[in-house]
Amino acid sequence: MLSVIVPVIDEAGALPGLLADIAAQRRVALEVVLVDGGSRDASPDIARAAGARVIESRPGRGAQMNAGAAAALGDWLCFLHADSRLTHPAQLADALARLEACDDQRVAGHFRLRFVRARAGRGLFYRYLEAKTATGRRHTINGDQGLMLRRAFFDALGGFDTRLPFLEDQRMAAAIRARGCWCLLEHPLATSARRFEVEGAFARYLLMALIMAMHLAEVSLFFARAPRVYARQPETGRLRLMPYFRLLRTLARECGPRATGRVAWWVAGVAVSQSWQLFFALDVGLEQGLGVSRRPATRLHDRLLRPVFHNCVARGLVLVLGAGVVFGPLQLGCALAERARRDEARPE
């Protein structure tokens, strides 16, 4: 049996759609375990009315999903976010069949994404994000894409990391890659673009990059000083990035030049390792404009240009240029944008 585990806090608006999609699934025996982290809306009642089993947990997506796994009855586990939508009536059955056909028992599956938008515009941006979720490359798999795996493999991995109320998906993705393998599952998983639309697409993407950089460089002080760096969906609003720029400057002063230099060098290495994304973005644009679908720019990078970028000289250039851009025009642009928004909000 497959246990579908959904962590929620105040998701009454999104839940009915996902629960209806799950109820319409064919050729699969499943149960739905909704893990409530303290909702103040009707989320638990909506789930019970749809036939789901509801349990309570302390808030935090990782903790909630661990609680759901502990209560689940199935030999297979599937973790979905509340704002996800299944796009095919046999999506879960097909996913399960693909994973069962794998020789390796230590395999986990994820879906490619399709964003559901309430606003027009930024089509290329969303197409790039959607296409990237199908690559399976390092740092491209996250919780929005769903996670399906055997209970035994989940237990062997030790469950989700709960040190922070977020980033549990990135840590799980890294653990799966280190101890097993990933498999792209059939049919896209639809997900809401609401966070990008509410917070601002550019600001959200930039902050996501900063979160990943601080996570991979293991700068725990950043997350201790910025506990709301990833707010719960009902609490989101237009993002203000200047507090995070100021925090980076403060941490650099407090930690000193040697520690700051080590972190900056590590972050530059991460940036260099992701150089393929620039070429991949070019391919997505070519596919839209010219119908070129074989990703020639990405293949050029992987076959010929990777050694050019993956060396100490390139890493040093990225460090210097990146610091100059982040604390120069990027910070200035964010400051001017936030000042303009304050001026607009000021009463006449």
Side-chain angles (χ1 to χ4, degrees), residues 157-346:
L157 293 167
F160 288 98
D161 190 314
T162 60
R163 285 174 288 174
L164 289 171
F166 54 96
L167 285 176
E168 78 292 329
D169 53 349
Q170 292 298 324
R171 289 170 173 154
M172 176 59 79
I176 290 169
R177 192 179 297 277
R179 299 179 59 181
C181 61
W182 278 104
C183 174
L184 179 65
L185 303 174
E186 289 186 69
H187 315 298
L189 186 68
T191 189
S192 172
R194 55 186 178 170
R195 189 176 287 271
F196 285 109
E197 292 175 335
V198 171
E199 295 182 340
F202 174 74
R204 166 43 54 190
Y205 197 71
L206 184 61
L207 186 56
M208 285 166 52
L210 176 58
I211 289 171
M212 283 300 298
M214 295 297 99
H215 162 58
L216 294 172
E218 299 182 347
V219 185
S220 56
L221 270 177
F222 175 83
F223 299 107
R225 300 279 187 89
R228 289 181 55 80
V229 71
Y230 197 85
R232 293 193 300 111
Q233 184 62 48
E235 300 171 354
T236 55
R238 198 71 177 177
L239 267 181
R240 295 177 58 244
L241 294 179
M242 283 307 297
Y244 302 110
F245 286 118
R246 287 193 288 267
L247 176 57
L248 289 177
R249 289 181 176 276
T250 299
L251 291 177
R253 287 196 301 269
E254 292 179 357
C255 295
R258 180 173 296 181
T260 300
R262 284 198 298 268
V263 170
W265 183 252
W266 180 263
V267 171
V270 173
V272 167
S273 74
Q274 298 299 300
S275 58
W276 65 271
Q277 293 201 37
L278 297 174
F279 296 84
F280 187 77
L282 176 60
D283 279 333
V284 174
L286 288 173
E287 187 172 3
Q288 177 189 0
L290 303 177
V292 178
S293 59
R294 298 187 64 185
R295 306 275 159 80
T298 306
R299 288 190 290 115
L300 174 67
H301 169 271
D302 291 346
R303 294 179 181 180
L304 298 177
L305 299 181
R306 186 192 299 271
V308 175
F309 296 113
H310 290 223
N311 57 67
C312 291
V313 174
R315 193 169 179 175
L317 287 173
V318 168
L319 191 157
V320 173
L321 292 174
V325 170
V326 169
F327 293 109
L330 190 57
Q331 180 175 316
L332 177 61
C334 291
L336 292 175
E338 290 182 14
R339 179 179 297 178
R341 286 200 296 270
R342 286 197 301 270
D343 291 341
E344 290 175 2
R346 188 176 297 131

Side-chain angles (χ1 to χ4, degrees), residues 53-251:
R53 187 151 53 97
V54 177
I55 66 171
E56 295 181 353
S57 163
R58 65 182 175 90
R61 191 172 279 160
Q64 289 172 249
M65 291 190 291
N66 284 343
L73 303 176
D75 295 326
W76 286 88
L77 307 176
C78 178
F79 300 91
L80 296 176
H81 290 182
D83 60 353
S84 299
R85 297 296 304 269
L86 301 174
T87 61
H88 191 280
Q91 185 158 357
L92 297 181
D94 290 343
L96 196 56
R98 174 164 291 188
L99 292 175
E100 287 178 330
C102 293
D103 294 331
D104 195 340
Q105 299 287 301
R106 299 168 301 174
V107 62
H110 70 99
F111 300 96
R112 68 186 186 275
L113 286 183
R114 188 178 72 199
F115 283 97
V116 178
R117 294 180 279 159
R119 304 174 188 174
R122 300 192 183 277
L124 181 60
F125 171 75
Y126 287 109
R127 277 190 289 275
Y128 164 71
L129 294 183
E130 290 170 347
K132 192 168 69 168
T133 64
T135 65
R137 296 190 182 220
R138 192 177 299 274
H139 310 315
T140 64
I141 300 174
N142 55 60
D144 287 332
Q145 298 171 44
L147 168 63
M148 186 181 291
L149 75 173
R150 288 178 173 86
R151 172 190 288 279
F153 187 28
F154 178 81
D155 291 341
L157 293 167
F160 288 98
D161 190 314
T162 60
R163 285 174 288 174
L164 289 171
F166 54 96
L167 285 176
E168 78 292 329
D169 53 349
Q170 292 298 324
R171 289 170 173 154
M172 176 59 79
I176 290 169
R177 192 179 297 277
R179 299 179 59 181
C181 61
W182 278 104
C183 174
L184 179 65
L185 303 174
E186 289 186 69
H187 315 298
L189 186 68
T191 189
S192 172
R194 55 186 178 170
R195 189 176 287 271
F196 285 109
E197 292 175 335
V198 171
E199 295 182 340
F202 174 74
R204 166 43 54 190
Y205 197 71
L206 184 61
L207 186 56
M208 285 166 52
L210 176 58
I211 289 171
M212 283 300 298
M214 295 297 99
H215 162 58
L216 294 172
E218 299 182 347
V219 185
S220 56
L221 270 177
F222 175 83
F223 299 107
R225 300 279 187 89
R228 289 181 55 80
V229 71
Y230 197 85
R232 293 193 300 111
Q233 184 62 48
E235 300 171 354
T236 55
R238 198 71 177 177
L239 267 181
R240 295 177 58 244
L241 294 179
M242 283 307 297
Y244 302 110
F245 286 118
R246 287 193 288 267
L247 176 57
L248 289 177
R249 289 181 176 276
T250 299
L251 291 177

